[in-house]
Amino acid sequence: MTNLSFATIKSMISSLCIIIFFISIVHAYLYTQNECLGEDSLQNCLDVYVRGPTYYRKDFAYKNDLLLERNSRVIHFPVAFVHPIDVFDVQSAIICGKNLNFTVIARSGGHSDESYSIGDRDCTLIVDLRYMNNIIIDTNTQTAKIGPGVTLNTLFYSLSVHDFAFPSGECSTTGVGIILGGGLGYLIRKFGTSSDNLLDAQIVLANGTIVDHVKEYPDLYWALRGAGNAGYGIITSLTLRIYPIQKIVTSMVFTYDFDQTQLVFSVVNKLGNSFHPNLTIQINHGNVDKFEILGFYLGSSNDAKPHVQKLIELTNPKNESYVEGDWYNRLIVNDVGKRNIYKDKTFYIDSSGLSYEGVEYLMGFMKNFTNNFLIRTMLVTGRANEIGRNETAYVHRGLLYLLLIEITLDEVNYETCLKDLEIFSRTFQENYTSYESYQNHIDKELDYWQCRYYGENFGKLVKIKQKYDPNNLFNWNQSIPTYTEISCIS
């Protein structure tokens, strides 16, 4: 067998990426030669009524818009990308789409795992909200009013300047659409989910009506907190509850050998509900040699250590590290430019934790899987579990942790890896986890997704959809439908 140097392999990978990039561009170019039905009429409408830039498939900027999708595994070709500058542009785009029979899709950060932010088929109309990115912070009322084009990085940095924080994810380029589908992160145990802290919103409905204060519509407000990114309208501003935050926080890393996995899960199962609310942890597996617990504590390292002492004593990590800093710099993960071909699966684990047999099955998957993977297990206890299952559309309460599997795909093992992941996931969920999955990591292969994502709230969500979008203008494969025969009430 020929031995290839690291530099040669790196060069080959770079060349392959360049080839794939140009193939995608050529594909996009060739596709633009075929018009969507009614495309000219739509362009005439948008050009007259929308003031922000609009890019059609003949425009070079259209290709740039396509490449903003984080997951390059799925690609569709919208009829156009509209970039509104205000709520009236959004209203005009919706009316043009509605009158000319184009499905309308909103895009915030482009982080949909199935690329639903460019639709689930060709010829949809995309309303890209990136230019609507104002942030108004009121420290007296402890609120922030933000535009739908704001990324987590911008939001977190703006809040940190005032020594405030907001609970959400940690990837810098994620859009605030994450807030509408739950929004989990290292502050969840202290402050709850993102959607728990949505106080109000402005939304444009399918008929073009601008609702300035969604809180005045209790059913719609309820739906937006957990299913707001599932097809009720286009959000044009969000009012958030924000929190004063400690000036010093501590991030921790505890390193283990792979064969300590059973031990660590058993200890977290016992301690996970009793950790101090200022502390949360996440177990990260990225290979079968080592793994880590990442900890985040609101306070100094001296304050943090007593709260992780029992965890350390019972799990015996190989290495420990503690780093102090401000919450923004310790929490945010810079993922700028990290476009990839990947697939995600999520599993909620109930309050008793993952069983010995479940951990064994998970370890077996890691040992046998041939491509790169990252398995993150995050505590979802604390404040998030103090809210009832049906108080909002976010139904996942009373659970211990969320387990997320992300696999990276390549051309060689693409189909095999997807098949192996699917076989594992169905057995794993059937035998070892709760019934539920996390809607912000959408999965088009997930069976009974209506009930796994929304539980007994699904029927109510359908009725609200019927009321505010009866003709299903905002739709894709896993949006809330206007009609269903599925019942999620056992």
Side-chain angles (χ1 to χ4, degrees):
M1 180 180 291
T2 302
N3 291 323
L4 299 177
S5 69
F6 175 76
T8 302
I9 294 172
K10 185 176 180 181
S11 176
M12 292 170 63
I13 292 173
S14 298
S15 298
L16 179 61
C17 290
I18 292 170
I19 291 169
I20 292 172
F21 172 79
F22 278 108
I23 288 173
S24 66
I25 291 297
V26 170
H27 184 198
Y29 175 77
L30 292 175
Y31 184 84
T32 60
Q33 308 311 302
N34 301 313
E35 288 191 357
C36 301
L37 183 65
E39 184 172 342
D40 289 342
S41 297
L42 179 67
Q43 181 171 347
N44 291 336
C45 186
L46 295 174
D47 287 349
V48 170
Y49 294 107
V50 175
R51 291 165 297 150
T54 299
Y55 303 124
Y56 305 95
R57 292 182 298 166
K58 65 180 181 293
D59 300 323
F60 184 80
Y62 175 97
K63 281 78 173 179
N64 294 333
D65 272 335
L66 274 181
L67 294 174
L68 284 175
E69 286 297 302
R70 181 171 181 263
N71 192 356
S72 52
R73 178 174 56 86
V74 184
I75 188 72
H76 298 290
F77 297 93
V79 63
F81 289 92
V82 178
H83 295 270
I85 59 174
D86 59 22
V87 64
F88 301 108
D89 269 2
V90 173
Q91 181 186 49
S92 296
I94 288 174
I95 292 172
C96 287
K98 172 178 173 289
N99 289 343
L100 295 166
N101 298 315
F102 282 91
T103 294
V104 179
I105 306 288
R107 178 165 75 171
S108 178
H111 272 239
S112 168
D113 291 333
E114 298 292 352
S115 295
Y116 287 150
S117 42
I118 53 171
D120 65 350
R121 58 195 180 277
D122 299 327
C123 293
T124 57
L125 176 61
I126 308 304
V127 180
D128 187 304
L129 300 162
R130 79 182 77 165
Y131 295 142
M132 299 179 65
N133 54 14
N134 290 338
I135 299 177
I136 301 172
I137 297 170
D138 189 333
T139 57
N140 292 322
T141 61
Q142 297 189 11
T143 60
K145 187 174 183 179
I146 66 173
V150 171
T151 62
L152 290 187
N153 181 66
T154 306
L155 173 61
F156 288 178
Y157 179 78
S158 300
L159 292 174
S160 70
V161 171
H162 300 278
D163 294 323
F164 274 76
F166 180 77
S168 199
E170 65 270 2
C171 292
S172 63
T173 61
T174 300
V176 295
I178 187 177
I179 295 169
L180 304 172
L184 312 181
Y186 283 105
L187 301 180
I188 183 175
R189 300 192 67 251
K190 182 72 171 181
F191 303 126
T193 70
S194 299
S195 60
D196 295 337
N197 291 284
L198 177 64
L199 299 177
D200 204 351
Q202 182 186 68
I203 186 172
V204 185
L205 302 177
N207 63 4
T209 299
I210 298 172
V211 175
D212 287 320
H213 296 286
V214 75
K215 201 164 186 180
E216 297 174 359
Y217 297 72
D219 56 350
L220 188 56
Y221 177 53
W222 177 88
L224 294 187
R225 290 173 293 159
N229 52 8
Y232 288 96
I234 297 183
I235 302 289
T236 47
S237 75
L238 305 93
T239 302
L240 311 176
R241 181 188 294 112
I242 59 176
Y243 296 90
I245 199 76
Q246 287 83 346
K247 290 184 181 295
I248 297 295
V249 304
T250 303
S251 59
M252 297 160 276
V253 180
F254 307 134
T255 306
Y256 301 86
D257 290 334
F258 182 76
D259 61 10
Q260 293 177 279
T261 297
Q262 277 284 8
L263 172 64
V264 167
F265 268 97
S266 68
V267 171
V268 172
N269 289 349
K270 295 174 183 176
L271 301 182
N273 278 302
S274 60
F275 283 134
H276 191 280
N278 282 9
L279 171 69
T280 195
I281 65 167
Q282 178 174 290
I283 308 170
N284 280 8
H285 284 82
N287 57 60
V288 293
D289 295 321
K290 305 283 185 183
F291 71 97
E292 299 173 333
I293 287 182
L294 305 182
F296 190 83
Y297 182 80
L298 300 177
S300 69
S301 58
N302 286 336
D303 290 338
K305 287 177 181 178
H307 297 296
V308 294
Q309 182 178 354
K310 192 169 184 179
L311 174 68
I312 292 170
E313 289 176 353
L314 294 175
T315 59
N316 191 27
K318 303 305 178 184
N319 294 289
E320 305 171 33
S321 70
Y322 302 81
V323 179
E324 294 181 344
D326 64 273
W327 80 275
Y328 167 75
N329 285 296
R330 298 317 318 154
L331 187 149
I332 200 72
V333 175
N334 184 0
D335 66 340
V336 174
K338 291 188 178 179
R339 195 166 180 265
N340 213 335
I341 303 174
Y342 69 91
K343 176 71 178 181
D344 281 356
K345 293 284 186 178
T346 62
F347 313 88
Y348 280 101
I349 313 299
D350 64 27
S351 58
S352 61
L354 193 59
S355 67
Y356 180 91
E357 293 77 14
V359 177
E360 281 291 299
Y361 192 67
L362 179 64
M363 292 175 69
F365 170 77
M366 289 188 269
K367 290 175 182 177
N368 294 318
F369 194 69
T370 56
N371 273 37
N372 292 332
F373 63 83
L374 176 61
I375 300 179
R376 294 182 288 163
T377 306
M378 173 175 281
L379 284 181
V380 293
T381 55
R383 172 59 185 154
N385 282 345
E386 295 172 6
I387 297 171
R389 282 178 61 88
N390 310 126
E391 287 186 43
T392 71
Y394 181 82
V395 75
H396 313 297
R397 312 290 183 173
L399 302 162
L400 185 58
Y401 40 78
L402 172 73
L403 193 148
L404 165 67
I405 300 178
E406 180 176 301
I407 65 167
T408 304
L409 298 163
D410 57 37
E411 289 184 340
V412 177
N413 299 313
Y414 185 93
E415 294 296 337
T416 300
C417 287
L418 284 177
K419 181 180 178 181
D420 289 347
L421 177 64
E422 189 65 29
I423 292 171
F424 162 79
S425 298
R426 289 185 180 242
T427 302
F428 190 55
Q429 192 158 44
E430 181 179 347
N431 293 286
Y432 304 116
T433 78
S434 79
Y435 187 78
E436 299 173 18
S437 294
Y438 181 33
Q439 56 267 38
N440 265 348
H441 285 280
I442 201 83
D443 172 15
K444 69 180 180 181
E445 276 75 42
L446 184 65
D447 60 344
Y448 307 112
W449 61 267
Q450 301 90 338
C451 305
R452 296 193 192 277
Y453 289 149
Y454 304 109
E456 62 272 22
N457 289 336
F458 179 68
K460 181 177 178 181
L461 288 168
V462 173
K463 291 180 180 178
I464 297 170
K465 174 76 169 182
Q466 292 169 349
K467 179 177 179 180
Y468 292 101
D469 183 15
N471 296 314
N472 209 17
L473 177 68
F474 309 106
N475 77 85
W476 51 94
N477 186 38
Q478 291 173 296
S479 58
I480 300 296
T482 55
Y483 172 79
T484 185
E485 295 182 351
I486 293 173
S487 174
C488 298
I489 299 176
S490 56

